[in-house]
Amino acid sequence: MLPLIAAGLSIVGTLQQRSAEKKAAEERKKIGQLEARQYVSELFLAKAQAIDASNRRINEALEAEKQNTAFFSAKIASSQRSVDAYLQKNRDIMGEDIGNIERQSGLLEAKYAAQAATSYTYGQNAAAGMRATSNANFLTNLADMAINMPPSVSNIFKSNKDVA
């Protein structure tokens, strides 16, 4: 009877180990998904920050243009062509600044998108590897139990004609 109890405990332990390993694999998969979501959130935050930076730069340029227009209007002797050229130069600089902001934003978006995809894929692959290891451990444990089972327990699983 004692060998039968020992075999039962071995089976229960093996099943519990398999259950724990499967749970760990599922947790790793979820961690990969959560990391991916975090990177997607950071991607949208980077986009919002870039839009905000662009809007601030436009507002700064418009305010500077108003001040420059007022300054040049006060100087009656200024030629309109030089004023227009000066204001156009400022608009060109603003356009370059906004272009740089957009390029930086695009790079950040690509970075966060790549990190999200990598985290998600890594989580999936790590979980698959953990499940494969769990299957191998489970089968090894079952084989070890079958090999190490005393004859009195293994006779229970044989039919009456095999036990002669």
Side-chain angles (χ1 to χ4, degrees):
M1 186 65 169
L2 188 58
L4 185 59
I5 293 171
L9 289 174
S10 292
I11 291 171
V12 168
T14 297
L15 293 174
Q16 286 179 341
Q17 178 185 358
R18 178 160 168 88
S19 175
E21 288 172 344
K22 287 175 86 175
K23 184 177 178 182
E26 190 59 32
E27 288 298 316
R28 184 61 196 107
K29 177 181 169 184
K30 288 179 183 178
I31 289 170
Q33 291 170 342
L34 289 173
E35 287 174 346
R37 286 185 188 129
Q38 178 63 34
Y39 287 124
V40 170
S41 295
E42 290 180 21
L43 182 149
F44 286 117
L45 176 62
K47 279 185 177 184
Q49 289 173 333
I51 290 169
D52 182 56
S54 293
N55 288 339
R56 278 195 322 266
R57 182 61 183 100
I58 290 169
N59 289 336
E60 289 171 1
L62 291 175
E63 187 61 34
E65 188 169 322
K66 287 178 194 174
Q67 290 175 0
N68 289 331
T69 302
F71 174 75
F72 289 128
S73 296
K75 293 180 91 179
I76 298 172
S78 299
S79 78
Q80 187 61 37
R81 283 192 332 194
S82 64
V83 171
D84 289 342
Y86 180 79
L87 295 176
Q88 184 58 46
K89 177 70 174 163
N90 285 344
R91 288 185 198 117
D92 292 344
I93 291 171
M94 178 193 65
E96 289 173 11
D97 290 347
I98 291 173
N100 288 336
I101 291 168
E102 289 173 354
R103 277 189 291 283
Q104 287 174 334
S105 173
L107 291 172
L108 279 176
E109 288 174 33
K111 172 188 168 186
Y112 289 132
Q115 286 176 321
T118 301
S119 291
Y120 183 82
T121 303
Y122 176 77
Q124 299 295 315
N125 291 343
M130 292 171 79
R131 283 190 299 271
T133 301
S134 173
N135 289 338
N137 289 342
F138 179 69
L139 294 174
T140 300
N141 289 342
L142 288 179
D144 287 345
M145 283 189 298
I147 290 170
N148 296 322
M149 196 175 291
S152 60
V153 175
S154 62
N155 287 340
I156 294 173
F157 299 107
K158 293 183 180 177
S159 67
N160 287 338
K161 62 182 178 180
D162 292 336
V163 179

